Amino acid sequence: MDYINRIKRVAIYLRKSRNNEGEETEETLQKHRKRLSDIAEKNNWKYELFQEVGSSMNENRPEYIRMLDDLNSGLFDAVLSVNLARVTRDDEEAPKFMKLLRREEILFINDNEKIFDLENQDDWFNLKVSGFLGNVEYENIKRQLRKGKLDSAKAGKWSNGKPNYGYIYNRLDRTLEIDQEKAKAVKLAYQLVIDGMGVDNIAIELNKLGYRTNKGNYFHGHSIKRIIEAPIYKGTLVSNKLKGRNINAGKVRPEEEWIVIEDAVKPCIIEKETWDLANEKLQERKRLFPRAKQRRHGLSSLIKCANCGKAHAVSYRKDRNNQKVIQPCKKKDTLGNTCGNRGFNYNTMLELIISEVAEHKQEIAEEVSTFKEDANALNAKTLKLEQINARISKVEKALDTLQYQLEEDLITIPRFKERNRARNDELKQLKDEYANLSDTTEQDQLDYKKDYLERLDVFLNEWDSLKDEKLNEGLSSFIEKINWYYPKEIDAPQLEIVWKKAN
């Protein structure tokens, strides 16, 4: 088969990999980039580069994920890479990748210009074998690197990747040195924890003082928590803690397998006594928090700030004879500015909500009545299914047109991606809607609405005698959330209830 003329657009995938000495150099990556782009240009193939440096774990490979999306969208006729092992070495991911190529009739080309057609059984087998051999080589290299990393850790050398905030890596002797300016932020964070301040407010204090994370972003509570809990700040090096290189997805090894070296970093930023005290204070706050969450009232987790989405808390005003109130929204941005959505009297709020529930009951009752009285109501499902099916056909035709425009260079790739993604999202939504409606009979809908109406009726008759927990359960069975909007600049508050579906 004349594969060369079949190919018009290729995805070039590049990934910095490991060799026996560690990471490949940028020079090696540039050589691979030039070799692959030369192949594409020689054959007059249009190409897009997908290039990343990092772990072979798929969670850490945004360019790989982006390429898969584009392959699924029909953007490319082939994938061009040094070899299959450079695309993926994962035992589970490699077959999935190959199946994607076969399903979408996408070719694979290596840097020797060997073209693999995955619909051809011999090509499938040969590519799979080459991937297997590459994986064996990778596992051997990884085993050697892991042994070297463990030896380095035992010797007190830094081998855990990018150093923590406040430290600088000395490449000559492979140790950590203190970044004096950032260390001031670390010391302040520890002192504020000891003084009883929460991590969210500590982040705000550091942001106000002009400190930023290693990536130049604002601090948040979770980043402060990581700083306080990291033993490296008291000079203790912990290695071999995770299986894998992804700090979020990697699994934690049993503690007895960790390599813990005390006093590995000298001088350290935080004294051991200070580190212990700060972590003790942090644990105290954690123990207090669940008890606070256990207190449940009738509107727990339902009242949401329309400005920022945070749930409004409930408290008792001692200055108003222990009057129950919905508190103002106290959420702060990264610089400490408070949201400002005002609170309200709890009982008044509850009465407003019950009034809305009563109106909602009336609406459902009218829908049930319409179902019973309208002779054509039971044919409504068929009509709606026909309408949805017509819309599905229209979207599928639009997708075919987009693909034709791309093949004939009548549309740019960025524009194609944007419109193709939007159309596919619309198609998925329509198909889900069609499937859900197909599985539900008109009688099912009527029965559900009648049951929903009965539950509303029971609730409205009993709500004022229910305890807070049961009241909250009742409201939550009908209500998704209640958006509350009452900023200082308006006189009348606005309340919007998002109902759970009654069909």
Side-chain angles (χ1 to χ4, degrees):
M1 182 178 289
D2 185 10
Y3 291 121
I4 297 296
N5 292 326
R6 168 180 157 184
I7 301 168
K8 293 182 180 179
R9 297 178 308 282
V10 297
I12 295 180
Y13 184 77
L14 290 159
R15 177 173 59 82
K16 196 173 182 181
S17 187
R18 288 185 177 276
N19 55 28
N20 289 311
E21 289 73 42
E23 297 285 0
E24 289 177 342
T25 64
E26 181 63 31
E27 182 181 357
T28 304
L29 196 64
Q30 289 175 359
K31 287 179 180 178
H32 290 170
R33 188 189 306 121
K34 186 174 190 315
R35 188 189 312 163
L36 297 175
S37 59
D38 283 350
I39 292 172
E41 289 167 4
K42 180 183 74 173
N43 291 288
N44 295 318
W45 297 334
K46 295 180 180 179
Y47 65 88
E48 183 173 348
L49 283 172
F50 297 84
Q51 176 179 307
E52 53 202 341
V53 176
S55 168
S56 60
M57 294 179 68
N58 292 327
E59 293 91 343
N60 277 354
R61 297 201 287 158
E63 286 296 284
Y64 176 73
I65 302 302
R66 186 170 71 88
M67 181 179 72
L68 292 186
D69 287 341
D70 286 354
L71 293 176
N72 275 304
S73 298
L75 274 175
F76 300 105
D77 305 304
V79 173
L80 175 58
S81 190
V82 175
N83 51 47
L84 180 61
R86 287 305 172 115
V87 179
T88 178
R89 292 190 178 99
D90 188 274
D91 292 336
E92 293 183 7
E93 182 61 26
K96 291 180 184 177
F97 177 71
M98 291 173 65
K99 285 179 182 178
L100 167 63
L101 298 187
R102 180 161 61 183
R103 185 183 73 239
E104 300 298 327
E105 299 181 356
I106 298 169
L107 304 170
F108 184 85
I109 310 167
N110 65 20
D111 63 344
N112 291 322
E113 299 188 54
K114 165 65 178 171
I115 299 176
F116 296 87
D117 180 355
L118 279 302
E119 289 189 300
N120 181 302
Q121 198 62 36
D122 289 338
D123 281 1
W124 174 278
F125 177 76
N126 290 333
L127 185 60
K128 190 173 183 178
V129 169
S130 71
F132 172 76
L133 294 175
N135 196 43
V136 170
E137 179 188 3
Y138 170 70
E139 289 298 328
N140 288 330
I141 293 171
K142 193 165 68 171
R143 190 179 303 112
Q144 295 172 24
L145 289 170
R146 188 182 297 120
K147 183 178 181 300
K149 186 175 181 179
L150 295 181
D151 291 341
S152 295
K154 290 176 181 177
K157 301 294 184 182
W158 179 257
S159 58
N160 288 4
K162 291 182 180 179
N164 297 64
Y165 183 84
Y167 284 111
I168 303 169
Y169 179 56
N170 184 326
R171 293 183 178 275
L172 294 177
D173 56 11
R174 297 170 61 197
T175 57
L176 296 183
E177 297 175 353
I178 295 176
D179 182 323
Q180 296 299 335
E181 189 58 33
K182 290 181 178 179
K184 293 177 184 177
V186 174
K187 291 177 181 178
L188 178 58
Y190 273 83
Q191 187 56 54
L192 291 175
V193 167
I194 292 170
D195 291 343
M197 186 179 286
V199 291
D200 290 329
N201 287 326
I202 293 172
I204 289 169
E205 287 300 313
L206 295 187
N207 292 335
K208 284 182 176 178
L209 291 170
Y211 291 109
R212 299 293 182 266
T213 67
N214 283 333
K215 292 184 178 180
N217 301 323
Y218 285 114
F219 282 98
H220 293 277
H222 57 82
S223 50
I224 299 300
K225 180 176 175 291
R226 283 201 298 268
I227 287 175
I228 302 303
E229 293 180 340
I232 195 69
Y233 291 108
K234 63 176 177 178
T236 300
L237 193 156
V238 179
S239 189
N240 204 46
K241 184 176 178 180
L242 294 179
K243 294 180 181 179
R245 299 167 69 195
N246 188 335
I247 62 172
N248 297 312
K251 292 184 178 179
V252 178
R253 299 178 189 274
E255 197 166 339
E256 59 269 19
E257 294 183 19
W258 300 1
I259 297 174
V260 180
I261 311 295
E262 303 287 350
D263 301 320
V265 179
K266 296 178 180 179
C268 55
I269 296 178
I270 301 296
E271 295 296 325
K272 186 179 184 304
E273 295 76 13
T274 304
W275 190 94
D276 290 342
L277 182 57
N279 276 271
E280 205 175 295
K281 291 284 187 180
L282 195 62
Q283 291 303 315
E284 284 178 10
R285 292 184 68 89
K286 285 182 182 178
R287 287 192 290 271
L288 288 172
F289 186 62
R291 289 205 298 271
K293 285 184 72 175
Q294 288 170 8
R295 294 194 294 269
R296 192 172 177 187
H297 55 80
L299 300 177
S300 284
S301 303
L302 287 174
I303 309 299
K304 306 290 185 181
C305 173
N307 290 329
C308 66
K310 181 179 173 61
H312 278 265
V314 172
S315 65
Y316 293 87
R317 292 286 299 268
K318 292 182 179 179
D319 58 336
R320 298 182 185 177
N321 296 321
N322 280 334
Q323 186 184 80
K324 210 172 183 181
V325 295
I326 306 291
Q327 290 185 3
C329 182
K330 295 179 180 179
K331 185 174 181 179
K332 296 179 181 179
D333 64 17
T334 52
L335 293 176
N337 300 308
T338 305
C339 174
N341 205 36
R342 284 186 283 179
F344 205 64
N345 180 278
Y346 176 91
N347 290 329
T348 306
M349 171 83 77
L350 185 56
E351 289 172 3
L352 287 172
I353 293 168
I354 296 299
S355 175
E356 293 279 348
V357 173
E359 287 187 20
H360 185 57
K361 175 200 163 187
Q362 186 59 39
E363 291 170 1
I364 301 300
E366 290 175 4
E367 289 179 11
V368 170
S369 176
T370 301
F371 252 100
K372 289 178 179 178
E373 295 172 2
D374 189 351
N376 297 318
L378 296 180
N379 297 321
K381 175 187 171 182
T382 304
L383 178 60
K384 191 168 183 180
L385 284 172
E386 289 175 355
Q387 291 172 340
I388 296 172
N389 200 41
R391 288 165 63 196
I392 288 174
S393 298
K394 186 176 179 181
V395 173
E396 287 176 338
K397 285 180 181 178
L399 285 167
D400 289 340
T401 301
L402 277 173
Q403 194 65 41
Y404 172 78
Q405 290 174 336
L406 179 69
E407 292 171 0
E408 298 299 322
D409 288 330
L410 299 175
I411 188 173
T412 63
I413 287 181
R415 182 63 175 154
F416 171 84
K417 288 182 181 180
E418 177 187 342
R419 294 175 64 181
N420 189 64
R421 188 176 295 113
R423 286 294 190 180
N424 273 299
D425 288 344
E426 184 182 359
L427 183 62
K428 182 181 183 303
Q429 185 177 349
L430 286 169
K431 286 183 175 180
D432 288 345
E433 188 178 347
Y434 188 93
N436 291 335
L437 187 58
S438 297
D439 293 339
T440 306
T441 67
E442 289 82 356
Q443 189 61 46
D444 288 337
Q445 295 179 56
L446 177 58
D447 290 344
Y448 186 86
K449 284 182 184 291
K450 289 166 72 174
D451 176 68
Y452 189 84
L453 180 62
E454 185 177 336
R455 288 189 290 117
L456 280 169
D457 193 49
V458 171
F459 174 78
L460 287 169
N461 286 328
E462 296 180 351
W463 74 269
D464 54 351
S465 62
L466 297 175
K467 292 184 177 180
D468 273 357
E469 187 172 340
K470 290 296 181 182
L471 176 61
N472 185 253
E473 286 179 7
L475 289 170
S476 298
S477 68
F478 309 118
I479 297 172
E480 195 72 45
K481 64 178 178 177
I482 301 167
N483 292 320
W484 175 247
Y485 185 70
Y486 196 20
K488 292 179 180 178
E489 59 269 17
I490 70 170
D491 295 328
Q494 299 172 17
L495 182 146
E496 177 200 21
I497 296 181
V498 180
W499 303 100
K500 290 183 176 176
K501 288 188 177 181
N503 52 35

